[in-house]
Every structure is written in structure tokens, then in C-alpha cells.
Amino acid sequence: MRNHDHLIKGEWVSSGNYQDNVNPSDTRDVIGAYSYGDAALVEAAVAAAKSAQAGWADATPQARHDLLEAVGRELAARKEEIGRLLAREEGKTLAEGIGETLRAAQVFKFFAGECLRQVGDLQASVRPGIDVEVTREPVGIVGLITPWNFPMAISAWKIAPALAFGNCVILKPADLTPGCAHILAQVLHEQGCPPGVFNLVMGRGATVGEAIVTHPDIAAISFTGSRTTGDHIAEVCGRMKKKVQLEMGGKNPMVVLDDADLSTAVSACLNGTYFSTGQRCTASSRLIVQAGIHDRFVEELIRQMQALTVGDALDAGTQIGPVVDARQLKSNLAYVDLARSEAAEVIGGERLELNKPGFYQAPALFLGTTNAMRINREEIFGPCGSVLKVDSFDAAVAMANDTEFGLAAGICTTSLYHARAFRRRAEAGMVMVNLPTAGVDYHVPFGGRKGSSFGAREQGRYAVEFYTVVKTSYVCAG
Ligand code: NDP
């Protein structure tokens, strides 16, 4: 199938305007053509969701469980095929693509279980003869807007809880990665999702995304993406009194103390900074290293960074795939130039010409940097890391927190005292000790503080906060 259409009310709907979806490892490889929607199509999707909302809200927990369980099982069974599509479309390695598909399957299965663990409280009233019942109801129609960097996992961790708690969904995937969203839509459809309960509208953020955010019948928006788009969505939702959840960027610190195990620290930083081509909101971009270990750490990190194999995402030996597209590559290379002009010493970071047309970049390390430099304040979102030298643990913590973001923060240390103190003092939603800042579990909350996140946490049992509203009922026997 070359042409791929939107899913509305259980039907595949074309809006024409097909756009080629191109493999960033080899731009001669076209994955397929995907239709672009517009505001009229969002209107049709909202009408479909409205017609399905009451029925889905009343569906038994068993029916919701069975759908989510079946979707999870199907994704897991097809992990090689879907992981391959993910690697072709987004550029992460095949192993990462398969791992992400499996993660999406696990998320669906987790929320299948949550369908059967309905929450609520029955309490005695402070007045005689009255019972108080606190229940949770679906929010209604939710708009889910996703980025390109985890097209399976992020879509899954929004769709699965939305459906588990009885909401109907309109998903708008990133323009760069409609393929994974389309596969998810196919799987949901084939596994018996009732018409209108899940709708897929592909297209540009400025048209389809904007139409979803501003639609008065969409009760809540869950968004993952850049800070700029998130700020805009927050403003619109605030004005319209819509429930909103935002996961945005990071400038995540990884502290390496003198007492760290060198090999643990280098491996955590190598993984956190460069794997998935650095295109992770939890990537370690500021490596804050204490003076006593600094030279040994830098020498070993450079050695291992330069040994990484950059190549086609589907090649067996590839450790770092291409950058997602020409625009992101241009932006990354501009940050490498900026690092030089800010007087950092730059190791690597150049554009690589391989034997095929793709968006390849060598991993980059910036040395001798300060936290005031723009390269250490702005999110780069590519395979680039900075080293910042500090004298003490206290200076490291202060520098780690000196950022407008607060998603993840890590520390490598063998001191329980320092690990504990860092966990308590880090201004971040997630703290990792002797582990890369990127790489999280699916059954626990995900999210950040400050400029990284807004609204209720995603994932795990905490997802219920966003996808439900609380109702308090008072019942008198009469
Ligand atoms: P964008 O903010 O550009 O896009 C995210 C999504 O929003 C896309 O689907 C996009 O559509 C859509 N969008 C764009 N403009 C609007 C609008 N006006 N109204 C509604 N929707 C809109 O981010 P990217 O996709 O480029 O993703 C990269 C960024 O995402 C990075 O900065 C990264 O840090 C962040 N991110 C954060 C994560 C987190 O959990 N904190 C996780 C992953 C990424 P279109 O694609 O058509 O432009």
C-alpha cells in the first residue's frame, strides 16, 4: 500500500495531498505517501468522537481491557516489522526501533490492567444518614499531539490511558513520522476498536494541530514536543479552560564526581548523550565533571565516542543512526559552529558523507565550556554534549539546577551520601544514580519540572489524574 489515509469513525478517509515519507538514512527510500488533513477533517473526527463518547464511557472495564490487551499483544508479535518501519522512518537503530515497539506493547498491556483497577472512594459524610462517593469519570474527547522522536512509545503512552479511562481520542502525529501512528491506528482498528473511539488525523501542526487545540468540543490536550509549541498550547488551553498536559524539552545535567566509577560514568554519559542520535528529551547534554576525575573522564569518553559507528539505521553494526531530517541536521551543525564561536574546544560534530544520501553527523563533544554559553542553555536535540568542570559537589548541584528546564538529572558517584543529597536537591522530575539520564520504566510516572513539563504526570498509575475528572456525590437514603 503506497497511499496512507486518516482513520475517522472506523473508516480510512483520504483528504488527498499525499506527502512522501522519506528514510533519513537514505533519502532515495520512500516509505509511503501520507495524506495531509486540515481543519475540516478535524471537525469530522470530532463529530465521530462525539458520537462514540457516551458508549465508550459506558463500556465495561472488561471490554476496554480486552481491546488494550489485544493491541499490546499484536504490537509485541509484530515488533520486528514495526521496529523496522520505525528505524526507516525516524532513523533510530533497528534494535532501538524494536525496543520502542516492545515498549509500546508493554504500555498497552499495563493500561489493560488499569482498566480492571477502577479507582474511587466511598466515605461516610460528616452529616448523618449520608454517604459520599468520590468517583472518576472520563474527561471526554482528548486531543493527543506527538513529536517525531518516539513515535510509537509516546503515542502509546497517551492513547492507552486515554482509552483505558473511557475517553475518545483524536491523534495528530508529527508531520515527520506519520508511519508509526498509521500502524498504531491499523492495529487499533483491526483489534476491534469501536468506530469513532480512536481517530487519526495526520497533517501539519499549524493547521491540524491548531484545529485540535482550539476546538471547543475537545476537552483536553496532551502534548509532547518543543517548548515554543508547548507555551502556545498552554496559552490557548488556559484561555479556553481546557485540561492540558505538556511534556517539553530538557537540558539535562549528568554530574560525574571524583568518587565515581570511571567506566560506569563514561558508559552512562556515552549512552545518555549520543544514543538515539541524542534526539531524546531526556538526553544528557551537560556533563558536569569534578576536577579530580575530569581529565581521565574526558580522555575515555572521547575514545569511546570516536569509536561509535554512525550509519544506516538498518545496518547491523550501526550504533548511531542519522539525524531525523535536513532541518534538524542544519540546526545541529549551527550549534557546533556556535560552540566554536563561544570558544569551546570542539571534538567531532562534523557532517558525515557516507555512501548514500542521508543526514549523518559525527557525535560532538564540547570541552572547556561554561554554563552561561548558549550551547549549555538551549536544547540542541542532536548528538552533542558539553563538559563543564566544577570543583565541588555543591558547585555541581548548583550548576545542574541552573537551567530553565527540569526533566531528568543524573549523578555518577560511589558515595551514598552524595547520591542521596543529589536525589533530594536536583530540581528535576526524574533523577538517575549511576544510570544514563535517558531510559525509563513504563509503569512509573514520567515528567519534569520548571520549563520541561506542565500539568499532571504521564505514565503508570499517575496517568489517571489527567485522563479522568473527579466527581463527588452525596447520597441520602431519604
Ligand atoms: P514540535 O513542538 O515542533 O512538534 C510537536 C508536535 O506539535 C508535532 O506534532 C507538531 O506538528 C505539533 N505542532 C506544531 N505546531 C503546533 C501548533 N501550533 N498547534 C498544535 N500542534 C502543533 O516538536 P518536535 O516534533 O520537533 O519534537 C522535538 C521537540 O520535542 C524537542 O524540543 C524535544 O525536547 C521535545 N520532546 C519532549 C519530550 C518530553 O517528554 N519532554 C519527548 C520528546 C520530545 P508538526 O510535526 O506538523 O510540526
Side-chain angles (χ1 to χ4, degrees):
M1 178 173 64
R2 184 178 151 74
N3 286 348
H4 297 77
D5 295 320
H6 317 272
L7 181 66
I8 295 178
K9 212 170 183 176
E11 305 279 341
W12 297 104
V13 177
S14 171
S15 58
N17 303 326
Y18 290 98
Q19 171 176 287
D20 280 351
N21 185 3
V22 172
N23 179 349
S25 293
D26 183 344
T27 54
R28 296 165 301 187
D29 176 27
V30 176
I31 294 152
Y34 290 78
S35 188
Y36 264 67
D38 53 17
L41 215 62
V42 171
E43 201 60 56
V46 172
K50 272 171 101 167
S51 69
Q53 181 57 57
W56 188 242
D58 281 346
T60 60
Q62 189 68 53
R64 290 189 213 149
H65 164 277
D66 291 351
L67 173 66
L68 298 189
E69 176 67 26
V71 170
R73 218 179 309 122
E74 180 72 1
L75 291 173
R78 291 171 61 186
K79 66 179 193 297
E80 309 274 342
E81 167 215 339
I82 299 175
R84 195 176 172 81
L85 170 83
L86 209 173
R88 265 176 88 201
E89 177 175 58
E90 197 267 353
K92 62 185 58 172
T93 64
L94 184 56
E96 289 170 334
I98 293 171
E100 186 180 330
T101 307
L102 198 54
R103 171 54 53 97
Q106 289 162 331
V107 169
F108 273 96
K109 288 180 171 209
F110 175 87
F111 283 104
E114 286 301 275
C115 295
L116 302 174
R117 280 187 283 272
Q118 297 294 304
V119 283
D121 290 320
L122 182 62
Q123 302 194 356
S125 169
V126 293
R127 291 170 283 164
I130 295 175
D131 286 333
V132 183
E133 219 178 63
V134 182
T135 49
R136 286 187 180 267
E137 297 183 351
V139 181
I141 303 171
V142 298
L144 309 180
I145 299 178
T146 53
W148 48 261
N149 64 336
F150 283 91
M152 288 302 293
I154 295 179
S155 304
W157 81 51
K158 293 183 191 299
I159 296 168
L163 297 182
F165 297 117
N167 305 283
C168 287
V169 166
I170 298 172
L171 171 69
K172 191 215 95 67
D175 203 28
L176 280 175
T177 52
C180 286
H182 199 275
I183 285 266
L184 270 174
Q186 280 172 42
V187 170
L188 277 152
H189 182 57
E190 287 162 10
Q191 297 306 315
C193 184
V197 168
F198 172 84
N199 304 278
L200 170 72
V201 182
M202 300 173 288
R204 298 252 193 276
T207 50
V208 172
E210 196 68 27
I212 290 173
V213 173
T214 54
H215 200 293
D217 294 332
I218 295 182
I221 301 289
S222 178
F223 164 85
T224 300
S226 64
R227 178 82 194 270
T228 316
T229 311
D231 285 351
H232 166 69
I233 290 177
E235 203 184 302
V236 175
C237 290
R239 210 176 331 116
M240 296 182 75
K241 313 286 180 293
K242 265 184 206 214
K243 205 166 180 182
V244 65
Q245 173 182 62
L246 309 171
E247 292 298 343
M248 301 171 284
K251 196 70 195 167
N252 309 294
M254 169 57 98
V255 171
V256 178
L257 294 184
D258 284 348
D259 63 25
D261 175 75
L262 184 66
S263 114
T264 302
V266 170
S267 130
C269 291
L270 194 77
N271 175 318
T273 308
Y274 303 114
F275 285 17
S276 299
T277 323
Q279 298 174 149
R280 300 190 281 194
C281 47
T282 47
S284 320
S285 53
R286 294 180 299 136
L287 311 179
I288 301 171
V289 185
Q290 208 174 349
I293 197 173
H294 176 275
D295 293 356
R296 283 180 295 139
F297 169 84
V298 165
E299 187 185 343
E300 184 56 17
L301 182 61
I302 291 174
R303 194 185 68 73
Q304 293 196 26
M305 177 191 84
Q306 289 179 331
L308 290 170
T309 305
V310 179
D312 188 318
L314 296 178
D315 287 352
T318 295
Q319 291 169 291
I320 307 292
V323 173
V324 73
D325 73 346
R327 198 179 61 152
Q328 186 66 45
L329 178 60
K330 190 172 168 210
S331 162
N332 295 352
L333 295 173
Y335 273 109
V336 174
D337 288 343
L338 177 66
R340 272 196 199 92
S341 67
E342 288 188 309
E345 182 189 346
V346 175
I347 314 284
E350 67 278 11
R351 178 168 191 169
L352 297 176
E353 298 295 345
L354 303 187
N355 59 354
K356 55 187 72 171
F359 307 116
Y360 297 103
Q361 181 183 10
L365 191 64
F366 308 143
L367 301 175
T369 74
T370 70
N371 207 39
M373 292 177 177
R374 273 181 57 205
I375 50 166
N376 287 329
R377 305 218 70 85
E378 298 170 17
E379 185 177 49
I380 299 176
F381 221 58
C384 308
S386 292
V387 174
L388 299 113
K389 200 196 268 191
V390 286
D391 287 331
S392 65
F393 172 72
D394 284 339
V397 175
M399 191 178 280
N401 289 337
D402 179 14
T403 169
E404 65 181 281
F405 296 106
L407 189 57
I411 187 165
C412 289
T413 178
T414 50
S415 149
L416 181 59
Y417 172 81
H418 285 138
R420 180 173 183 272
F422 188 77
R423 280 180 56 200
R424 293 165 79 102
R425 288 167 61 185
E427 294 168 4
M430 296 172 291
V431 178
M432 320 307 195
V433 178
N434 295 320
L435 287 167
T437 52
V440 295
D441 286 1
Y442 62 90
H443 64 306
V444 289
F446 177 93
R449 286 156 72 160
K450 302 200 281 190
S452 289
S453 300
F454 182 77
R457 285 281 187 267
E458 298 200 82
Q459 298 206 63
R461 303 201 74 177
Y462 286 66
V464 73
E465 278 308 325
F466 182 72
Y467 290 101
T468 60
V469 284
V470 167
K471 180 175 278 175
T472 311
S473 313
Y474 296 84
V475 181
C476 177

